[in-house]
Amino acid sequence: MKDTDIKKLLYTHLLCIFSIILSIFIPSFFLENFSILETHLTWLCICSVSVTAVNLVLYLVVKPNVSSKRSSLSYKVTRFLKCCIYFLTSCFFFHVIFVLYGAPLIELALETFSLAVILSTFTTIPCLCLLGPNFKAWLRIFSRNGVTSIWENSLQITTISSFVGIWLGAFPIPLDWGRPWQNENFSLDYKDSIHLFRKLQQY
């Protein structure tokens, strides 16, 4: 059973990585002058949508947490709306955190919020797909010795790695603001993705 879960987890991570790679190359066939440097806001939106879609489809297919109870349609709709509220709340929460850590409040608000959305995509979306809008389960996963399965262990590692990647990505920003590629929050998004890839390679 554990070997099967490891294989499913590996395929899930590989497909998520593949969706990020596709979000870099596929839009260039449909959008003129598309570049992750020049049109990074567009790329962030496409990347967020693709990673979210892949996570939703994979967790619906793999079903790592199968519930024995049959739920009604109203319960599913309520659960979905709660997940949307959780995701939006995390986006605004991260946006506020970035502003408190020195991001411009008004001048680059769209860029800062895009960074919050991509971080929520790498952290909140997997939590919602695996655990649902159950805040107690979230606290259990990210507390000491709260992991009970390999899926939860992977969720813990990838979420923490995303936060570490964002934090490490902040180092080059004040070093050389004169360069065009550092005018926005691109280095944070890029390093967040790279750090996540490196952690996923452990599997």
Side-chain angles (χ1 to χ4, degrees):
M1 186 67 180
K2 188 175 181 181
D3 292 337
T4 304
D5 286 339
I6 291 175
K7 288 182 180 178
K8 289 180 179 179
L9 191 59
L10 176 64
Y11 295 146
T12 301
H13 287 318
L14 288 176
L15 285 173
C16 285
I17 293 172
F18 187 62
S19 69
I20 295 174
I21 295 172
L22 285 181
S23 70
I24 297 174
F25 297 104
I26 295 297
S28 61
F29 295 104
F30 303 98
L31 301 175
E32 294 183 4
N33 302 322
F34 176 80
S35 170
I36 59 173
L37 290 175
E38 304 265 332
T39 57
H40 59 278
L41 290 179
T42 305
W43 175 74
L44 287 177
C45 294
I46 295 171
C47 183
S48 296
V49 170
S50 62
V51 171
T52 301
V54 167
N55 271 294
L56 290 174
V57 171
L58 287 175
Y59 280 100
L60 285 174
V61 172
V62 175
K63 295 181 181 178
N65 286 339
V66 181
S67 177
S68 58
K69 298 180 180 179
R70 289 189 176 181
S71 54
S72 62
L73 179 62
S74 61
Y75 173 79
K76 292 179 179 178
V77 171
T78 304
R79 186 181 174 90
F80 175 75
L81 292 176
K82 283 184 179 179
C83 289
C84 293
I85 292 172
Y86 270 53
F87 178 73
L88 291 175
T89 303
S90 70
C91 291
F92 286 111
F93 174 75
F94 291 142
H95 181 84
V96 171
I97 293 296
F98 296 150
V99 170
L100 291 177
Y101 270 88
L105 179 61
I106 298 175
E107 185 181 354
L108 298 174
L110 183 59
E111 286 80 358
T112 305
F113 188 74
S114 298
L115 177 63
V117 170
I118 198 73
L119 182 59
S120 296
T121 302
F122 284 141
T123 57
T124 309
I125 291 295
C127 291
L128 290 172
C129 290
L130 185 64
L131 305 173
N134 186 354
F135 194 67
K136 290 182 179 179
W138 291 30
L139 291 177
R140 176 181 59 81
I141 293 295
F142 298 104
S143 63
R144 186 174 298 177
N145 299 326
V147 175
T148 59
S149 69
I150 190 171
W151 289 92
E152 293 178 355
N153 188 30
S154 170
L155 182 65
Q156 189 182 59
I157 291 173
T158 53
T159 302
I160 293 174
S161 299
S162 296
F163 286 120
V164 172
I166 285 287
W167 184 72
L168 290 176
F171 278 114
I173 289 180
L175 299 179
D176 199 359
W177 273 103
R179 299 297 177 90
W181 64 275
Q182 283 189 328
N183 286 336
E184 316 294 350
N185 289 324
F186 175 76
S187 62
L188 291 175
D189 312 317
Y190 198 62
K191 287 203 172 183
D192 181 26
S193 303
I194 291 174
H195 198 73
L196 181 63
F197 290 163
R198 289 179 178 173
K199 285 296 181 181
L200 292 179
Q201 287 175 356
Q202 295 177 358
Y203 289 93

